[in-house]
Amino acid sequence: MSSELDQLKAAHEELRLQKRAIDRETEDTRTKTIEDKRVAAAEIEKLQLDLESLKEESAALTEKNKNLESDVASLKLDHEEKKKKQEEDYDNQRRAKQKLQFQEAKLCTKKVNVEKKCDPVEVHKLQIEELEKEVEHNKNEREEVKKIYETEMNKLDNILSKVNFQKKTWEKKVQAAREQLLKLNANCINIRESSRKELFEKDLLLQRLVLDTNRCLKSIPELEASTAVLEKMIKDTVLM
């Protein structure tokens, strides 16, 4: 009797330990499932945010490219119109110059012929007087050209300084916006990850409650049936 009881106790203990090991493995798998789902969901969330950013950037670049294509077409048309106008102006100016050069050459020939009939001394005096006037005129023209150059360069330098300042200002704004975007994206990811972790942890507890509830629902009928069998055994023993 004692030997049989010991064997039964040993078998009972072996089954209890086996059941405990199986339950532990089941619980570990359930926990691992929830944790791995949380990690995978966080990774998917990050990839989705990156994907949305890429889509937005692609859409913005596509729109910008369309605008640039339109600008290129407008620039080409504007260039052709300006080129045509410039060629017309050049042709008109060339004709006018040729006409004046022809007139100048005739006058030079006439003047030389007249000078041959005049006193050489008086001719040279007249030529010197004319050259002096031309030198004075050229000096004034030189100063005027220098003045125009300085004025134009000052204007361009002011514009260049202004544009450079605006560029640096916008570079700072763009950099700040990029940093803010990265910060907001990181904050969004952190909030979603912490929220997801909190929900998953609570879900783990909930599933454990469900497991315990199902175990109780399964165990209670078994305990009732087992107790009934034991009570019958006692009654049968008493009757014997």
Side-chain angles (χ1 to χ4, degrees):
M1 179 68 177
S2 175
S3 176
E4 183 181 1
L5 180 59
D6 290 340
Q7 290 178 358
L8 291 172
K9 286 182 178 181
H12 179 275
E13 181 64 15
E14 182 181 352
L15 288 171
R16 187 186 69 81
L17 292 175
Q18 183 180 355
K19 176 178 176 296
R20 183 178 178 183
I22 292 172
D23 289 344
R24 185 183 295 112
E25 184 178 355
T26 300
E27 185 63 22
D28 289 344
T29 302
R30 183 176 289 106
T31 301
K32 188 175 186 303
T33 299
I34 293 175
E35 287 299 323
D36 289 351
K37 281 177 62 179
R38 181 178 66 82
V39 172
E43 185 176 355
I44 291 171
E45 182 71 28
K46 183 179 182 304
L47 288 174
Q48 286 176 335
L49 286 174
D50 292 341
L51 179 61
E52 289 302 318
S53 296
L54 289 172
K55 286 182 179 179
E56 291 176 0
E57 184 177 1
S58 175
L61 289 174
T62 300
E63 184 64 24
K64 189 173 182 179
N65 288 340
K66 289 180 180 179
N67 293 335
L68 285 174
E69 287 175 356
S70 176
D71 291 342
V72 168
S74 298
L75 286 171
K76 286 182 178 180
L77 180 61
D78 182 65
H79 173 71
E80 290 300 324
E81 291 177 351
K82 288 181 178 178
K83 183 180 178 181
K84 182 179 179 182
K85 177 66 167 55
Q86 187 183 53
E87 289 175 350
E88 291 176 354
D89 292 342
Y90 177 84
D91 188 60
N92 292 333
Q93 192 65 36
R94 181 180 60 81
R95 293 175 184 275
K97 185 202 73 167
Q98 288 177 341
K99 183 177 180 181
L100 290 173
Q101 280 182 332
F102 178 74
Q103 184 178 353
E104 182 184 34
K106 286 178 64 177
L107 289 172
C108 286
T109 301
K110 181 178 180 181
K111 181 182 177 183
V112 169
N113 291 330
V114 172
E115 286 176 344
K116 290 178 181 179
K117 299 177 182 179
C118 298
D119 184 0
V121 174
E122 294 301 324
V123 169
H124 276 80
K125 286 182 180 179
L126 179 61
Q127 289 177 345
I128 290 172
E129 183 180 349
E130 291 175 348
L131 282 172
E132 286 176 346
K133 290 180 180 179
E134 289 181 8
V135 169
E136 186 64 25
H137 174 270
N138 289 348
K139 285 181 179 180
N140 293 333
E141 185 179 29
R142 179 186 63 187
E143 294 304 317
E144 184 66 24
V145 169
K146 287 183 178 180
K147 185 177 179 181
I148 292 173
Y149 172 82
E150 291 174 357
T151 301
E152 293 299 322
M153 289 302 102
N154 286 333
K155 287 181 181 179
L156 292 175
D157 286 341
N158 290 335
I159 294 173
L160 183 62
S161 298
K162 182 179 179 181
V163 173
N164 274 329
F165 176 77
Q166 291 176 342
K167 179 186 175 184
K168 290 178 180 179
T169 300
W170 278 104
E171 283 177 345
K172 291 179 180 178
K173 289 182 179 180
V174 170
Q175 183 61 29
R178 287 173 178 168
E179 292 175 356
Q180 181 69 6
L181 176 62
L182 292 175
K183 182 179 179 181
L184 290 173
N185 272 338
N187 189 35
C188 181
I189 291 172
N190 291 334
I191 290 175
R192 291 181 178 179
E193 186 174 355
S194 61
S195 300
R196 188 182 296 106
K197 182 179 179 182
E198 183 179 356
L199 291 175
F200 277 148
E201 288 175 349
K202 196 68 176 181
D203 187 58
L204 178 60
L205 295 174
L206 176 61
Q207 291 196 33
R208 285 175 179 170
L209 288 175
V210 172
L211 178 64
D212 290 339
T213 300
N214 292 334
R215 183 183 57 77
C216 289
L217 291 173
K218 180 176 177 296
S219 176
I220 288 173
E222 292 177 349
L223 288 171
E224 289 176 344
S226 179
T227 301
V229 171
L230 291 172
E231 289 175 344
K232 186 176 182 303
M233 289 173 60
I234 293 172
K235 288 180 181 180
D236 292 344
T237 303
V238 171
L239 291 174
M240 291 176 62

PDB file of all heavy atoms in Angstrom, residues 211-238:
ATOM      1  N   LEU A 211      -6.248  34.333 -18.923  1.00  0.00           N
ATOM      2  CA  LEU A 211      -5.707  32.984 -18.765  1.00  0.00           C
ATOM      3  C   LEU A 211      -6.110  32.381 -17.426  1.00  0.00           C
ATOM      4  O   LEU A 211      -6.552  31.220 -17.352  1.00  0.00           O
ATOM      5  CB  LEU A 211      -4.180  33.027 -18.897  1.00  0.00           C
ATOM      6  CG  LEU A 211      -3.467  31.692 -18.700  1.00  0.00           C
ATOM      7  CD1 LEU A 211      -3.864  30.714 -19.792  1.00  0.00           C
ATOM      8  CD2 LEU A 211      -1.958  31.875 -18.673  1.00  0.00           C
ATOM      9  N   ASP A 212      -5.966  33.176 -16.371  1.00  0.00           N
ATOM     10  CA  ASP A 212      -6.339  32.691 -15.033  1.00  0.00           C
ATOM     11  C   ASP A 212      -7.838  32.408 -14.952  1.00  0.00           C
ATOM     12  O   ASP A 212      -8.267  31.437 -14.320  1.00  0.00           O
ATOM     13  CB  ASP A 212      -5.945  33.718 -13.969  1.00  0.00           C
ATOM     14  CG  ASP A 212      -4.440  33.802 -13.798  1.00  0.00           C
ATOM     15  OD1 ASP A 212      -3.750  32.831 -14.179  1.00  0.00           O
ATOM     16  OD2 ASP A 212      -3.949  34.822 -13.275  1.00  0.00           O
ATOM     17  N   THR A 213      -8.623  33.297 -15.616  1.00  0.00           N
ATOM     18  CA  THR A 213     -10.077  33.092 -15.612  1.00  0.00           C
ATOM     19  C   THR A 213     -10.440  31.795 -16.326  1.00  0.00           C
ATOM     20  O   THR A 213     -11.249  30.991 -15.826  1.00  0.00           O
ATOM     21  CB  THR A 213     -10.775  34.280 -16.297  1.00  0.00           C
ATOM     22  OG1 THR A 213     -10.459  35.481 -15.592  1.00  0.00           O
ATOM     23  CG2 THR A 213     -12.286  34.092 -16.308  1.00  0.00           C
ATOM     24  N   ASN A 214      -9.836  31.600 -17.500  1.00  0.00           N
ATOM     25  CA  ASN A 214     -10.096  30.357 -18.248  1.00  0.00           C
ATOM     26  C   ASN A 214      -9.623  29.133 -17.477  1.00  0.00           C
ATOM     27  O   ASN A 214     -10.263  28.066 -17.516  1.00  0.00           O
ATOM     28  CB  ASN A 214      -9.409  30.420 -19.611  1.00  0.00           C
ATOM     29  CG  ASN A 214     -10.036  31.456 -20.535  1.00  0.00           C
ATOM     30  OD1 ASN A 214     -11.218  31.779 -20.382  1.00  0.00           O
ATOM     31  ND2 ASN A 214      -9.264  31.983 -21.462  1.00  0.00           N
ATOM     32  N   ARG A 215      -8.497  29.310 -16.790  1.00  0.00           N
ATOM     33  CA  ARG A 215      -8.004  28.189 -15.986  1.00  0.00           C
ATOM     34  C   ARG A 215      -8.986  27.838 -14.862  1.00  0.00           C
ATOM     35  O   ARG A 215      -9.259  26.661 -14.603  1.00  0.00           O
ATOM     36  CB  ARG A 215      -6.643  28.555 -15.385  1.00  0.00           C
ATOM     37  CG  ARG A 215      -5.992  27.434 -14.572  1.00  0.00           C
ATOM     38  CD  ARG A 215      -4.706  27.890 -13.953  1.00  0.00           C
ATOM     39  NE  ARG A 215      -4.891  29.067 -13.111  1.00  0.00           N
ATOM     40  CZ  ARG A 215      -5.414  29.013 -11.872  1.00  0.00           C
ATOM     41  NH1 ARG A 215      -5.817  27.865 -11.352  1.00  0.00           N
ATOM     42  NH2 ARG A 215      -5.554  30.124 -11.171  1.00  0.00           N
ATOM     43  N   CYS A 216      -9.509  28.897 -14.236  1.00  0.00           N
ATOM     44  CA  CYS A 216     -10.497  28.665 -13.173  1.00  0.00           C
ATOM     45  C   CYS A 216     -11.762  28.019 -13.736  1.00  0.00           C
ATOM     46  O   CYS A 216     -12.333  27.097 -13.123  1.00  0.00           O
ATOM     47  CB  CYS A 216     -10.844  29.973 -12.478  1.00  0.00           C
ATOM     48  SG  CYS A 216      -9.519  30.640 -11.448  1.00  0.00           S
ATOM     49  N   LEU A 217     -12.202  28.542 -14.923  1.00  0.00           N
ATOM     50  CA  LEU A 217     -13.400  27.959 -15.539  1.00  0.00           C
ATOM     51  C   LEU A 217     -13.194  26.485 -15.880  1.00  0.00           C
ATOM     52  O   LEU A 217     -14.132  25.674 -15.807  1.00  0.00           O
ATOM     53  CB  LEU A 217     -13.748  28.735 -16.812  1.00  0.00           C
ATOM     54  CG  LEU A 217     -14.267  30.172 -16.603  1.00  0.00           C
ATOM     55  CD1 LEU A 217     -14.414  30.896 -17.936  1.00  0.00           C
ATOM     56  CD2 LEU A 217     -15.598  30.153 -15.855  1.00  0.00           C
ATOM     57  N   LYS A 218     -11.990  26.145 -16.238  1.00  0.00           N
ATOM     58  CA  LYS A 218     -11.678  24.745 -16.554  1.00  0.00           C
ATOM     59  C   LYS A 218     -11.465  23.919 -15.281  1.00  0.00           C
ATOM     60  O   LYS A 218     -11.865  22.759 -15.183  1.00  0.00           O
ATOM     61  CB  LYS A 218     -10.420  24.701 -17.421  1.00  0.00           C
ATOM     62  CG  LYS A 218      -9.974  23.292 -17.830  1.00  0.00           C
ATOM     63  CD  LYS A 218      -8.774  23.376 -18.759  1.00  0.00           C
ATOM     64  CE  LYS A 218      -8.270  21.984 -19.128  1.00  0.00           C
ATOM     65  NZ  LYS A 218      -7.760  21.244 -17.971  1.00  0.00           N
ATOM     66  N   SER A 219     -10.844  24.581 -14.290  1.00  0.00           N
ATOM     67  CA  SER A 219     -10.474  23.854 -13.074  1.00  0.00           C
ATOM     68  C   SER A 219     -11.671  23.570 -12.183  1.00  0.00           C
ATOM     69  O   SER A 219     -11.750  22.504 -11.554  1.00  0.00           O
ATOM     70  CB  SER A 219      -9.426  24.664 -12.297  1.00  0.00           C
ATOM     71  OG  SER A 219      -9.123  24.032 -11.078  1.00  0.00           O
ATOM     72  N   ILE A 220     -12.616  24.520 -12.121  1.00  0.00           N
ATOM     73  CA  ILE A 220     -13.759  24.360 -11.196  1.00  0.00           C
ATOM     74  C   ILE A 220     -14.588  23.117 -11.517  1.00  0.00           C
ATOM     75  O   ILE A 220     -14.862  22.293 -10.622  1.00  0.00           O
ATOM     76  CB  ILE A 220     -14.621  25.643 -11.209  1.00  0.00           C
ATOM     77  CG1 ILE A 220     -13.869  26.779 -10.480  1.00  0.00           C
ATOM     78  CG2 ILE A 220     -15.971  25.395 -10.554  1.00  0.00           C
ATOM     79  CD1 ILE A 220     -14.541  28.121 -10.560  1.00  0.00           C
ATOM     80  N   PRO A 221     -14.995  22.917 -12.781  1.00  0.00           N
ATOM     81  CA  PRO A 221     -15.742  21.683 -13.078  1.00  0.00           C
ATOM     82  C   PRO A 221     -14.923  20.422 -12.784  1.00  0.00           C
ATOM     83  O   PRO A 221     -15.459  19.415 -12.312  1.00  0.00           O
ATOM     84  CB  PRO A 221     -16.062  21.793 -14.554  1.00  0.00           C
ATOM     85  CG  PRO A 221     -16.002  23.240 -14.852  1.00  0.00           C
ATOM     86  CD  PRO A 221     -14.929  23.783 -13.960  1.00  0.00           C
ATOM     87  N   GLU A 222     -13.617  20.505 -13.074  1.00  0.00           N
ATOM     88  CA  GLU A 222     -12.769  19.348 -12.806  1.00  0.00           C
ATOM     89  C   GLU A 222     -12.675  19.073 -11.310  1.00  0.00           C
ATOM     90  O   GLU A 222     -12.713  17.914 -10.865  1.00  0.00           O
ATOM     91  CB  GLU A 222     -11.376  19.579 -13.390  1.00  0.00           C
ATOM     92  CG  GLU A 222     -11.351  19.609 -14.917  1.00  0.00           C
ATOM     93  CD  GLU A 222      -9.968  19.924 -15.455  1.00  0.00           C
ATOM     94  OE1 GLU A 222      -9.100  20.323 -14.642  1.00  0.00           O
ATOM     95  OE2 GLU A 222      -9.744  19.796 -16.676  1.00  0.00           O
ATOM     96  N   LEU A 223     -12.538  20.165 -10.534  1.00  0.00           N
ATOM     97  CA  LEU A 223     -12.501  19.999  -9.073  1.00  0.00           C
ATOM     98  C   LEU A 223     -13.828  19.453  -8.539  1.00  0.00           C
ATOM     99  O   LEU A 223     -13.854  18.604  -7.643  1.00  0.00           O
ATOM    100  CB  LEU A 223     -12.175  21.342  -8.400  1.00  0.00           C
ATOM    101  CG  LEU A 223     -10.729  21.839  -8.548  1.00  0.00           C
ATOM    102  CD1 LEU A 223     -10.603  23.266  -8.026  1.00  0.00           C
ATOM    103  CD2 LEU A 223      -9.780  20.916  -7.773  1.00  0.00           C
ATOM    104  N   GLU A 224     -14.916  19.972  -9.092  1.00  0.00           N
ATOM    105  CA  GLU A 224     -16.236  19.473  -8.659  1.00  0.00           C
ATOM    106  C   GLU A 224     -16.393  17.995  -8.993  1.00  0.00           C
ATOM    107  O   GLU A 224     -16.857  17.194  -8.158  1.00  0.00           O
ATOM    108  CB  GLU A 224     -17.332  20.299  -9.350  1.00  0.00           C
ATOM    109  CG  GLU A 224     -17.437  21.730  -8.835  1.00  0.00           C
ATOM    110  CD  GLU A 224     -18.457  22.540  -9.598  1.00  0.00           C
ATOM    111  OE1 GLU A 224     -18.858  22.092 -10.696  1.00  0.00           O
ATOM    112  OE2 GLU A 224     -18.870  23.623  -9.116  1.00  0.00           O
ATOM    113  N   ALA A 225     -15.967  17.648 -10.222  1.00  0.00           N
ATOM    114  CA  ALA A 225     -16.083  16.235 -10.622  1.00  0.00           C
ATOM    115  C   ALA A 225     -15.168  15.355  -9.783  1.00  0.00           C
ATOM    116  O   ALA A 225     -15.544  14.258  -9.337  1.00  0.00           O
ATOM    117  CB  ALA A 225     -15.731  16.098 -12.104  1.00  0.00           C
ATOM    118  N   SER A 226     -13.942  15.859  -9.560  1.00  0.00           N
ATOM    119  CA  SER A 226     -12.986  15.092  -8.756  1.00  0.00           C
ATOM    120  C   SER A 226     -13.469  14.943  -7.319  1.00  0.00           C
ATOM    121  O   SER A 226     -13.357  13.875  -6.697  1.00  0.00           O
ATOM    122  CB  SER A 226     -11.625  15.782  -8.787  1.00  0.00           C
ATOM    123  OG  SER A 226     -10.702  15.076  -8.002  1.00  0.00           O
ATOM    124  N   THR A 227     -14.040  16.030  -6.781  1.00  0.00           N
ATOM    125  CA  THR A 227     -14.565  15.989  -5.403  1.00  0.00           C
ATOM    126  C   THR A 227     -15.727  15.008  -5.304  1.00  0.00           C
ATOM    127  O   THR A 227     -15.853  14.254  -4.324  1.00  0.00           O
ATOM    128  CB  THR A 227     -15.041  17.392  -4.972  1.00  0.00           C
ATOM    129  OG1 THR A 227     -13.929  18.298  -5.063  1.00  0.00           O
ATOM    130  CG2 THR A 227     -15.566  17.376  -3.551  1.00  0.00           C
ATOM    131  N   ALA A 228     -16.576  15.011  -6.345  1.00  0.00           N
ATOM    132  CA  ALA A 228     -17.707  14.079  -6.355  1.00  0.00           C
ATOM    133  C   ALA A 228     -17.221  12.625  -6.353  1.00  0.00           C
ATOM    134  O   ALA A 228     -17.768  11.757  -5.660  1.00  0.00           O
ATOM    135  CB  ALA A 228     -18.598  14.347  -7.566  1.00  0.00           C
ATOM    136  N   VAL A 229     -16.161  12.385  -7.131  1.00  0.00           N
ATOM    137  CA  VAL A 229     -15.592  11.034  -7.170  1.00  0.00           C
ATOM    138  C   VAL A 229     -15.043  10.643  -5.804  1.00  0.00           C
ATOM    139  O   VAL A 229     -15.257   9.519  -5.316  1.00  0.00           O
ATOM    140  CB  VAL A 229     -14.488  10.946  -8.239  1.00  0.00           C
ATOM    141  CG1 VAL A 229     -13.754   9.605  -8.135  1.00  0.00           C
ATOM    142  CG2 VAL A 229     -15.070  11.111  -9.631  1.00  0.00           C
ATOM    143  N   LEU A 230     -14.361  11.598  -5.150  1.00  0.00           N
ATOM    144  CA  LEU A 230     -13.794  11.334  -3.833  1.00  0.00           C
ATOM    145  C   LEU A 230     -14.898  11.087  -2.803  1.00  0.00           C
ATOM    146  O   LEU A 230     -14.794  10.192  -1.941  1.00  0.00           O
ATOM    147  CB  LEU A 230     -12.908  12.500  -3.388  1.00  0.00           C
ATOM    148  CG  LEU A 230     -11.604  12.679  -4.185  1.00  0.00           C
ATOM    149  CD1 LEU A 230     -10.923  13.984  -3.784  1.00  0.00           C
ATOM    150  CD2 LEU A 230     -10.676  11.499  -3.945  1.00  0.00           C
ATOM    151  N   GLU A 231     -15.952  11.895  -2.857  1.00  0.00           N
ATOM    152  CA  GLU A 231     -17.065  11.724  -1.920  1.00  0.00           C
ATOM    153  C   GLU A 231     -17.733  10.368  -2.114  1.00  0.00           C
ATOM    154  O   GLU A 231     -18.127   9.694  -1.145  1.00  0.00           O
ATOM    155  CB  GLU A 231     -18.079  12.857  -2.104  1.00  0.00           C
ATOM    156  CG  GLU A 231     -17.570  14.214  -1.606  1.00  0.00           C
ATOM    157  CD  GLU A 231     -18.541  15.339  -1.897  1.00  0.00           C
ATOM    158  OE1 GLU A 231     -19.450  15.123  -2.733  1.00  0.00           O
ATOM    159  OE2 GLU A 231     -18.386  16.433  -1.314  1.00  0.00           O
ATOM    160  N   LYS A 232     -17.863   9.956  -3.366  1.00  0.00           N
ATOM    161  CA  LYS A 232     -18.444   8.638  -3.647  1.00  0.00           C
ATOM    162  C   LYS A 232     -17.555   7.528  -3.087  1.00  0.00           C
ATOM    163  O   LYS A 232     -18.039   6.523  -2.546  1.00  0.00           O
ATOM    164  CB  LYS A 232     -18.627   8.458  -5.148  1.00  0.00           C
ATOM    165  CG  LYS A 232     -19.356   7.159  -5.545  1.00  0.00           C
ATOM    166  CD  LYS A 232     -19.582   7.129  -7.043  1.00  0.00           C
ATOM    167  CE  LYS A 232     -20.355   5.861  -7.419  1.00  0.00           C
ATOM    168  NZ  LYS A 232     -19.690   4.636  -7.005  1.00  0.00           N
ATOM    169  N   MET A 233     -16.212   7.757  -3.236  1.00  0.00           N
ATOM    170  CA  MET A 233     -15.282   6.773  -2.707  1.00  0.00           C
ATOM    171  C   MET A 233     -15.454   6.635  -1.195  1.00  0.00           C
ATOM    172  O   MET A 233     -15.417   5.535  -0.627  1.00  0.00           O
ATOM    173  CB  MET A 233     -13.840   7.169  -3.027  1.00  0.00           C
ATOM    174  CG  MET A 233     -13.480   7.031  -4.510  1.00  0.00           C
ATOM    175  SD  MET A 233     -11.842   7.701  -4.911  1.00  0.00           S
ATOM    176  CE  MET A 233     -10.825   6.677  -3.844  1.00  0.00           C
ATOM    177  N   ILE A 234     -15.665   7.780  -0.521  1.00  0.00           N
ATOM    178  CA  ILE A 234     -15.853   7.742   0.936  1.00  0.00           C
ATOM    179  C   ILE A 234     -17.142   6.997   1.303  1.00  0.00           C
ATOM    180  O   ILE A 234     -17.169   6.172   2.215  1.00  0.00           O
ATOM    181  CB  ILE A 234     -15.901   9.183   1.508  1.00  0.00           C
ATOM    182  CG1 ILE A 234     -14.521   9.868   1.340  1.00  0.00           C
ATOM    183  CG2 ILE A 234     -16.324   9.198   2.970  1.00  0.00           C
ATOM    184  CD1 ILE A 234     -14.504  11.311   1.678  1.00  0.00           C
ATOM    185  N   LYS A 235     -18.225   7.304   0.539  1.00  0.00           N
ATOM    186  CA  LYS A 235     -19.495   6.619   0.815  1.00  0.00           C
ATOM    187  C   LYS A 235     -19.389   5.117   0.586  1.00  0.00           C
ATOM    188  O   LYS A 235     -19.882   4.313   1.376  1.00  0.00           O
ATOM    189  CB  LYS A 235     -20.594   7.205  -0.086  1.00  0.00           C
ATOM    190  CG  LYS A 235     -21.036   8.614   0.298  1.00  0.00           C
ATOM    191  CD  LYS A 235     -22.121   9.109  -0.638  1.00  0.00           C
ATOM    192  CE  LYS A 235     -22.546  10.516  -0.291  1.00  0.00           C
ATOM    193  NZ  LYS A 235     -23.611  11.009  -1.191  1.00  0.00           N
ATOM    194  N   ASP A 236     -18.721   4.775  -0.505  1.00  0.00           N
ATOM    195  CA  ASP A 236     -18.539   3.339  -0.800  1.00  0.00           C
ATOM    196  C   ASP A 236     -17.731   2.659   0.310  1.00  0.00           C
ATOM    197  O   ASP A 236     -18.017   1.512   0.695  1.00  0.00           O
ATOM    198  CB  ASP A 236     -17.856   3.152  -2.138  1.00  0.00           C
ATOM    199  CG  ASP A 236     -18.769   3.577  -3.291  1.00  0.00           C
ATOM    200  OD1 ASP A 236     -19.983   3.711  -3.071  1.00  0.00           O
ATOM    201  OD2 ASP A 236     -18.228   3.823  -4.397  1.00  0.00           O
ATOM    202  N   THR A 237     -16.747   3.373   0.812  1.00  0.00           N
ATOM    203  CA  THR A 237     -15.913   2.802   1.892  1.00  0.00           C
ATOM    204  C   THR A 237     -16.714   2.600   3.162  1.00  0.00           C
ATOM    205  O   THR A 237     -16.615   1.588   3.878  1.00  0.00           O
ATOM    206  CB  THR A 237     -14.699   3.725   2.170  1.00  0.00           C
ATOM    207  OG1 THR A 237     -13.954   3.894   0.976  1.00  0.00           O
ATOM    208  CG2 THR A 237     -13.810   3.115   3.236  1.00  0.00           C
ATOM    209  N   VAL A 238     -17.576   3.586   3.463  1.00  0.00           N
ATOM    210  CA  VAL A 238     -18.416   3.507   4.690  1.00  0.00           C
ATOM    211  C   VAL A 238     -19.385   2.361   4.574  1.00  0.00           C
ATOM    212  O   VAL A 238     -19.625   1.576   5.535  1.00  0.00           O
ATOM    213  CB  VAL A 238     -19.151   4.828   4.912  1.00  0.00           C
ATOM    214  CG1 VAL A 238     -20.178   4.669   6.045  1.00  0.00           C
ATOM    215  CG2 VAL A 238     -18.160   5.942   5.242  1.00  0.00           C
TER     216      VAL A 238
END
